[in-house]
Amino acid sequence: LAAGVVSAAGIDLDGGVGQREYRPTSTVDLRDRYELGIGDLVVDLRDTDLPAGDVPLEVDVGLGQAVVLVPRDVCVATSADVGIGNVRMFERDNGGIDVDFQDTPEAAPDVTRLVLDAEIGVGEVRVRHAPLAGLLAVRVALLDAHRRQDAERFLASGRRD
């Protein structure tokens, strides 16, 4: 995207570029905020020792995808603002332009409630119980297959340049 378009759209590109995956094991390792300018951000909380009560988590992606993986016994309250794209909460999908998604269920005091605040410029935020087997895994598999085919063609050609 041109710098002027990014600036005019108010897309925040702080946090770098690439793929980031975080797997905190306890709330001590869990950051309050995860940020990425462009790319795929995964915060995997399935093996995190989360306490009962509210656990705040903020994710901010300028251009790309944020995936939050949660244990099945965790309640998730979400406030998400997406410039252009989607919010996918488990089986629900909200998409479009200037998406303001709010889902704030109550939880019993002895239950962990993840309080997610997501800001996405262009892209999507997903909350799931299982790893993302879709887009990210498909991208990696296609890239690996493409590289393997290129290498096989090169070797078959007999060229050594």
Side-chain angles (χ1 to χ4, degrees):
L1 289 176
V5 172
V6 169
S7 178
I11 299 171
D12 181 5
L13 297 181
D14 291 341
V17 175
Q19 294 182 355
R20 306 281 193 276
E21 187 166 343
Y22 300 94
R23 295 172 186 248
T25 56
S26 70
T27 52
V28 172
D29 300 328
L30 182 63
R31 299 180 189 177
D32 291 337
R33 177 180 171 88
Y34 292 88
E35 182 176 41
L36 185 61
I38 299 174
D40 295 317
L41 171 69
V42 177
V43 181
D44 187 346
L45 303 176
R46 291 172 302 153
D47 294 324
T48 307
D49 185 19
L50 298 170
D54 285 356
V55 176
L57 177 66
E58 188 176 333
V59 296
D60 187 345
V61 175
L63 178 64
Q65 174 176 246
V67 178
V68 180
L69 300 171
V70 297
R72 293 200 178 274
D73 62 346
V74 170
C75 175
V76 181
T78 303
S79 172
D81 291 315
V82 179
I84 300 173
N86 287 319
V87 176
R88 292 189 182 184
M89 285 282 302
F90 305 109
E91 302 304 319
R92 293 180 310 230
D93 187 2
N94 266 339
I97 298 173
D98 200 18
V99 178
D100 181 16
F101 180 85
Q102 304 292 322
D103 182 25
T104 55
E106 295 295 321
D110 61 337
V111 172
T112 300
R113 184 174 83 146
L114 182 69
V115 181
L116 177 62
D117 182 8
E119 294 280 336
I120 309 294
V122 176
E124 82 175 341
V125 59
R126 288 184 177 203
V127 178
R128 303 172 50 98
H129 293 298
L132 182 62
L135 185 60
L136 189 55
V138 168
R139 279 188 207 163
V140 170
L142 287 174
L143 184 58
D144 287 346
H146 187 359
R147 285 182 181 154
R148 192 171 34 256
Q149 286 175 348
D150 285 347
E152 289 169 358
R153 280 191 209 118
F154 177 75
L155 292 172
S157 72
R159 296 186 338 217
R160 298 294 179 245
D161 50 342

